[in-house]
Amino acid sequence: MLQPVNNFTVLESVYGKFVVNRHCAYQADVLIKTGYPHIEAELAKILAIVRTLPDRSVVVDAGANIGLVSVPIAREIKAAGGIVHAFEVQRMMFYALCGSAALNDLANLHVHNQALGAAAGTVSAGQPDYAVPQDFGLYSLVQPAACESREDVDVTTIDALRLARLDFLKIDVEGMEPEVLSGARAAIRDFAPWCWVEYWRVDINRIKACFDSGNYRFFPIDRLNLLCAPAHRLSMSGIRIDGCEV
């Protein structure tokens, strides 16, 4: 008798190995055909900023999914003593990212099966059917889809992590971006990190309101992502941003 095919598999890429759901729209197909993530254009811009970070930098990835951003960043900053804290609320995606961290020897990639938000607590999170083709990157706690089961997941805040520093913050949490930023007000005030924030589900002005506009500049990079650039870091980095400031 033939054995059923597992929903998750390991794929090679230019950034190392990824544990990927074979049914996920875009992710598996593009990795197989090109060896690059389907978000390569976005990732290239992120890595250009990451390469300007100082030694022993700290990065937080809110909404890490299978690690298409976390793994490349962790590889990039590993030699300089940098670390990445990756947060993923989907338990199976959390497992996948843990597997990728191990397969790529990324001891500097710390993976957390938690949600980030405005305050500590718990949230009831649905678990998608990982055998059904769909885009698992669109999973949202704000607009949950029908799921076969639910389970409680801890919610924490970036400020509650009591990080010694924060240099880069990436947020892709399908509508909860303002809540994550609200829970990071002290870290943003104290460390002025670069912030790469998905904005297509929320108004840009809600995101901008989470920052001291005198210290930050805001650039829509594409139709999905807003770069919130600390003015002094932007000036020192030498990076030129294409596009209009808002």
Side-chain angles (χ1 to χ4, degrees):
M1 179 181 292
L2 296 176
Q3 295 295 315
V5 176
N6 290 340
N7 294 326
F8 288 82
T9 189
V10 178
L11 296 179
E12 299 279 354
S13 80
V14 297
Y15 299 107
K17 297 178 174 67
F18 287 102
V19 179
V20 183
N21 184 291
R22 66 175 72 248
H23 307 294
C24 188
Y26 308 116
Q27 290 180 352
D29 187 60
V30 177
L31 279 171
I32 289 171
K33 291 179 178 178
T34 70
Y36 287 87
H38 68 289
I39 57 167
E40 176 60 22
E42 173 187 346
L43 183 57
K45 294 180 176 69
I46 290 174
L47 290 177
I49 297 171
V50 168
R51 293 184 183 112
T52 71
L53 300 181
D55 290 352
R56 307 187 70 79
S57 57
V58 174
V59 174
V60 170
D61 182 354
N65 201 260
I66 63 166
L68 295 181
V69 173
S70 292
V71 168
I73 291 179
R75 287 170 59 91
E76 188 69 40
I77 66 178
K78 180 180 178 181
I83 65 172
V84 178
H85 289 281
F87 290 80
E88 175 51 47
V89 71
Q90 296 182 68
R91 181 163 51 83
M92 290 301 292
M93 296 305 179
F94 160 75
Y95 291 156
L97 181 48
C98 288
S100 298
L103 288 172
N104 292 292
D105 292 326
L106 294 175
N108 65 324
L109 175 51
H110 303 261
V111 189
H112 309 267
N113 184 207
Q114 293 175 295
L116 286 171
T122 60
V123 63
S124 178
Q127 299 301 306
D129 185 345
Y130 294 103
V132 176
Q134 57 190 286
D135 186 350
F136 297 108
L138 292 180
Y139 175 81
S140 173
L141 291 172
V142 177
Q143 298 175 320
C147 297
E148 291 188 339
S149 61
R150 306 193 71 81
E151 60 188 36
D152 287 342
V153 177
D154 289 338
V155 181
T156 189
T157 70
I158 290 175
D159 286 343
L161 301 177
R162 299 190 181 279
L163 300 171
R165 61 186 295 169
L166 179 60
D167 299 274
F168 188 94
L169 171 59
K170 170 258 182 182
I171 310 177
D172 177 359
V173 288
E174 304 302 321
M176 284 187 62
E177 287 79 9
E179 286 80 3
V180 175
L181 287 167
S182 178
R185 287 190 182 276
I188 292 171
R189 179 196 65 221
D190 294 343
F191 305 122
W194 297 89
C195 296
W196 187 277
V197 185
E198 189 175 84
Y199 73 91
W200 72 286
R201 287 183 183 264
V202 298
D203 186 272
I204 281 182
N205 288 323
R206 288 188 63 198
I207 296 173
K208 291 175 63 176
C210 297
F211 296 85
D212 179 348
S213 60
N215 295 327
Y216 272 84
R217 300 174 64 187
F218 304 93
F219 301 89
I221 299 299
D222 51 39
R223 65 183 182 86
L224 298 177
N225 299 289
L226 178 71
L227 174 62
C228 309
H232 71 284
R233 288 188 189 254
L234 179 61
S235 176
M236 293 173 59
S237 72
I239 292 175
R240 298 190 59 169
I241 309 297
D242 294 329
C244 298
E245 189 171 353
V246 294

